[in-house]
Amino acid sequence: SNLLLYFRVSPCVFSTAAQQRSTGDECGPEDPHDEPKHPLSDCALEHKAIRLEEQVRDLTERYRKALADSENVRRRTQKFVEDAKLFGIQSFCRDLVEVADILEKTAESAAEEAEPSNPNTTLKKIYEGLSLIEAKLQSVFAKHGLQKMNPVGGKYDPYDHEIVCHVPAEGMQPGTIALVTQDGYKLHGRTIRHALVGVAVESQE
């Protein structure tokens, strides 16, 4: 009876084993030539590469602008430092030219008194001393970039001159400067005090 039960069950067992072998044969080992595909397609990779190139160009442009801004700041700072060195004495020069005015007027007064007909030699020595001081002072001015304007005979310039009167244009072209009542000064080409001038105009008859 046991043998009969075995033969009754065995076809199923054989059938199941055959099925397993058949399934195993169908699946078999993986083909070594079959490689897993990349999750991104070629089109997606191309789009990603284009986006990366755009980002690189954008960053490069920002970098160039940053460099240009940095260079501009450096130049402005350098210009500011240079101007500070050149024009740091501007206020002092404005005060000093007033001393030069007084010295010049004093020298002119001494020159009028120290005429050859005047026997007073003391005044002559004072005038000579004042003239030397004035010449030395102008030399020091020039050394530091401070120069007196000489506008007589030139054209009126509102950036350098201030009109205080008009005079008849006798032998002068109208609009030119005929006289100076107060000297003007420039520091390294920058006007620090306007010259007070009289401008020639056509005489009205």
Side-chain angles (χ1 to χ4, degrees):
S1 62
N2 289 336
L3 184 61
L4 181 61
L5 179 61
Y6 173 77
F7 279 108
R8 286 181 180 176
V9 174
S10 62
C12 293
V13 174
F14 293 153
S15 175
T16 302
Q19 252 183 344
Q20 288 177 351
R21 285 194 304 271
S22 174
T23 303
D25 292 341
E26 288 178 2
C27 295
E30 293 185 355
D31 190 349
H33 297 289
D34 292 339
E35 297 181 356
K37 292 185 178 181
H38 197 279
L40 294 177
S41 65
D42 293 341
C43 183
L45 288 173
E46 185 177 354
H47 284 300
K48 186 174 182 180
I50 292 174
R51 286 197 301 269
L52 289 175
E53 289 177 359
E54 292 176 351
Q55 290 176 1
V56 169
R57 284 196 296 267
D58 181 60
L59 291 175
T60 303
E61 185 64 22
R62 291 184 182 181
Y63 174 70
R64 289 176 180 174
K65 289 181 179 179
L67 282 181
D69 292 342
S70 176
E71 180 65 17
N72 290 335
V73 170
R74 187 191 67 79
R75 289 178 180 176
R76 285 196 297 268
T77 304
Q78 184 177 359
K79 182 68 166 58
F80 177 79
V81 172
E82 291 174 354
D83 287 348
K85 290 179 180 178
L86 291 177
F87 303 108
I89 60 172
Q90 182 170 302
S91 179
F92 174 70
C93 288
R94 285 199 187 100
D95 295 334
L96 198 58
V97 295
E98 293 182 4
V99 177
D101 290 342
I102 297 172
L103 181 61
E104 184 179 0
K105 290 177 181 178
T106 305
E108 289 175 355
S109 298
E112 293 175 359
E113 295 293 335
E115 292 180 354
S117 58
N118 192 334
N120 192 338
T121 58
T122 303
L123 286 175
K124 185 178 180 180
K125 290 180 179 179
I126 291 174
Y127 167 70
E128 291 174 353
L130 290 174
S131 297
L132 290 173
I133 294 173
E134 185 180 5
K136 180 62 177 177
L137 185 61
Q138 292 298 328
S139 175
V140 172
F141 284 176
K143 179 181 178 181
H144 294 280
L146 183 62
Q147 293 181 334
K148 182 193 295 185
M149 300 181 195
N150 297 304
V152 175
K155 287 289 185 181
Y156 165 73
D157 185 345
Y159 293 101
D160 295 334
H161 315 130
E162 182 180 342
I163 299 175
V164 293
C165 64
H166 292 89
V167 297
E170 297 177 355
M172 299 186 69
Q173 186 178 358
T176 58
I177 296 172
L179 59 89
V180 177
T181 61
Q182 179 178 275
D183 292 320
Y185 281 87
K186 287 187 175 184
L187 179 63
H188 297 291
R190 177 188 293 180
T191 300
I192 64 169
R193 192 178 78 174
H194 289 70
L196 303 183
V197 301
V199 177
V201 295
E202 292 182 359
S203 58
Q204 297 179 353
E205 298 181 358

